[in-house]
Amino acid sequence: MTNPTPLFDDAFTDFPLKRALAQVLKQRDAGARVVGAYCSYAPVEVIWAMGGVPAVLCAFSNASIPKAEETLPVNLCPLIKSSYGFIELKTCPFFEVTDAVVGETTCDGKKKMFELISEKRPLHVLDLPQCPTNEGAVDYWRHSINGFKKFLEEKFGTVIDEEAIEEAIKHTNRKNALVEQILGFGAHRPAVITWQEMYDVTSYAMVTGGSEAISKLEEIVAKLTERRDKGIHTSAAGAKRVLVTGCPVGGDVLKVLKLVDEEGAAIVGLDSCTGLKAFAGRIEEGTGDPLRAIATRYLKIPCACMTPNTGRMEVLDEQVDLLKPDLVIDLVLQSCHTFNVEAVKVESLVRGELGTNYLKIVTDFSSQDIGQLKTRIGAALEMC
């Protein structure tokens, strides 16, 4: 194990959210409108085509939850409570600089939270079809995305033309291909990229677009290629390999990933919407109907809100084949019923069909279960 050159040559090493905020502020200062979002289903190409910048809003801190529980049910998903608490406390710097917010109907808790924050910012909620293979699903989702486009045009007094959307699609496809290539370096043994670096890359790519993002990501690919070719590793040669799937990760829930580090294992893949999910797949170019092309691609994002969610099983199969993990950790946030129920199918696939060790973790953003988690993770790695 060696000490490789950092992938980002700036003052924000190990602080991806600060780097993301710096990128948002830089673009806002240059005149871009800031549109806040919580989810990978937000069609950011429409925002980029307007000349705007998407900002991923705060959602992963335990500190904001007590404030949220003054209004919201205690037994609600911690991600939703944390999100609302940040807004009430005015402590999310991304939300404070937004000109508008886009929501989506991925879960009941979030869509009702959007009703509460609609008085604080101009808000548009996208109605997401959750049976993506049903007849008419793509057409309806295209209609919903077009409604978002009209909202932005009316709110900001602009026109978003198809040529600009098509250009944004091309940049998205190139950016997504580079992010996938970077995350694919997790396949090397021993590891040449850490989970923190993967998280840094995806956090950067979510809020940075155009040639700047592509240039930076190409530079990172070159750095990782150099590491691989020179035998520069980020984990011990015999380290157990872990793939993390399930709910979004970030902030206080990174405690799970840090505990894996403490056990001497290497996380080689992040299969979540703060990892691979937001960047997998491509949008078809030159169709003559870019909104439909966007709709088609976004409906293939394999979130547990979808039914049937066969895409997630297909991606997991591919990731296990590519990354060769010794253990798959299925991370579920408390009260996230879709991911919790779907864990039954995930375990059956991972253990039964793929012959790989599996550990389901249900947690929140508090530190109360760290001792128990450390014991369970350690025991699961010993069995690999």
Side-chain angles (χ1 to χ4, degrees):
M1 186 171 177
T2 53
N3 294 314
T5 302
L7 297 184
F8 288 92
D9 301 322
D10 57 28
F12 304 114
T13 302
D14 295 332
F15 293 97
L17 294 182
K18 290 185 178 180
R19 180 184 297 111
L21 178 60
Q23 289 293 323
V24 169
L25 293 177
K26 173 184 174 182
Q27 292 169 84
R28 187 193 66 160
D29 291 344
R33 297 288 191 171
V34 181
V35 181
Y38 285 103
C39 184
S40 298
Y41 286 107
V44 294
E45 291 74 26
V46 181
I47 301 172
W48 291 120
M50 181 187 71
V53 55
V56 181
L57 301 178
C58 309
F60 293 107
S61 173
N62 197 58
S64 61
I65 288 179
K67 180 62 178 178
E69 289 179 345
E70 294 177 9
T71 305
L72 303 179
V74 173
N75 62 343
L76 191 63
C77 166
L79 188 148
I80 299 170
K81 291 191 293 185
S82 181
S83 302
Y84 187 69
F86 269 114
I87 293 169
E88 286 288 273
L89 292 168
K90 300 183 184 299
T91 52
C92 177
F94 296 95
F95 187 83
E96 294 304 306
V97 300
T98 56
D99 298 293
V101 173
V102 57
E104 77 307 314
T105 56
T106 47
C107 78
D108 292 341
K110 281 175 70 178
K111 71 186 182 187
K112 301 311 287 187
M113 179 192 72
F114 291 138
E115 292 182 15
L116 299 181
I117 69 172
S118 62
E119 297 179 359
K120 304 176 186 297
R121 287 291 186 281
L123 174 75
H124 183 83
V125 177
L126 290 153
D127 189 11
L128 177 70
Q130 295 181 17
C131 297
T133 58
N134 281 3
E135 184 178 358
V138 173
D139 290 334
Y140 184 77
W141 185 225
R142 184 206 179 281
H143 176 75
S144 192
I145 293 172
N146 189 53
F148 176 51
K149 171 179 170 289
K150 290 180 178 178
F151 164 79
L152 294 176
E153 289 176 327
E154 293 171 5
K155 172 60 187 172
F156 300 118
T158 187
V159 175
I160 305 172
D161 60 41
E162 290 191 355
E163 184 178 347
I165 298 173
E166 194 69 48
E167 189 66 20
I169 287 173
K170 292 177 181 178
H171 281 290
T172 287
N173 284 341
R174 178 58 181 151
K175 181 168 70 172
N176 287 4
L178 287 165
V179 172
E180 275 201 278
Q181 185 178 358
I182 289 166
L183 298 183
F185 277 91
H188 294 284
R189 187 188 296 261
V192 297
I193 185 171
T194 68
W195 68 260
Q196 181 69 64
E197 291 174 326
M198 294 180 192
Y199 187 58
D200 285 356
V201 166
T202 57
S203 297
Y204 170 83
M206 285 176 182
V207 300
T208 312
S211 58
E212 178 182 355
I214 290 170
S215 177
K216 184 61 185 179
L217 294 172
E218 288 175 339
E219 176 188 316
I220 289 172
V221 168
K223 287 184 177 182
L224 290 169
T225 301
E226 182 179 21
R227 284 186 192 178
R228 180 197 64 196
D229 294 346
K230 290 185 175 181
I232 299 173
H233 305 133
T234 57
S235 70
K240 299 290 177 63
R241 299 168 62 81
V242 177
L243 169 63
V244 177
T245 186
C247 288
V249 296
D252 289 339
V253 82
L254 292 175
K255 63 186 178 182
V256 175
L257 282 65
K258 293 173 182 176
L259 288 172
V260 173
D261 281 348
E262 290 178 12
E263 294 298 319
I267 294 174
V268 295
L270 298 178
D271 174 40
S272 70
C273 56
T274 47
L276 176 65
K277 278 188 175 66
F279 302 96
R282 303 292 174 267
I283 304 170
E284 188 176 358
E285 299 176 20
T287 63
D289 189 349
L291 290 185
R292 184 178 177 83
I294 290 170
T296 301
R297 180 261 167 179
Y298 274 73
L299 277 188
K300 293 178 182 178
I301 296 175
C303 175
C305 69
M306 293 296 183
T307 184
N309 191 24
T310 55
R312 184 181 179 198
M313 306 307 155
E314 293 167 0
V315 170
L316 264 176
D317 192 339
E318 293 169 359
Q319 287 292 290
V320 169
D321 182 60
L322 173 68
L323 302 175
K324 304 294 189 297
D326 300 294
L327 175 67
V328 173
I329 293 180
D330 195 358
L331 197 159
V332 178
L333 294 177
Q334 286 179 2
S335 299
C336 185
H337 304 310
T338 51
F339 274 98
N340 208 346
V341 173
E342 194 167 88
V344 176
K345 289 189 173 183
V346 173
E347 181 174 12
S348 176
L349 171 71
V350 173
R351 288 190 188 278
E353 297 183 34
L354 304 181
T356 303
N357 294 291
Y358 172 90
L359 175 65
K360 175 184 172 183
I361 289 177
V362 181
T363 188
D364 60 12
F365 298 161
S366 74
S367 59
Q368 296 178 352
D369 60 352
I370 285 181
Q372 177 194 69
L373 291 175
K374 182 175 178 63
T375 299
R376 293 186 64 213
I377 291 169
L381 287 168
E382 283 184 10
M383 294 176 65
C384 294

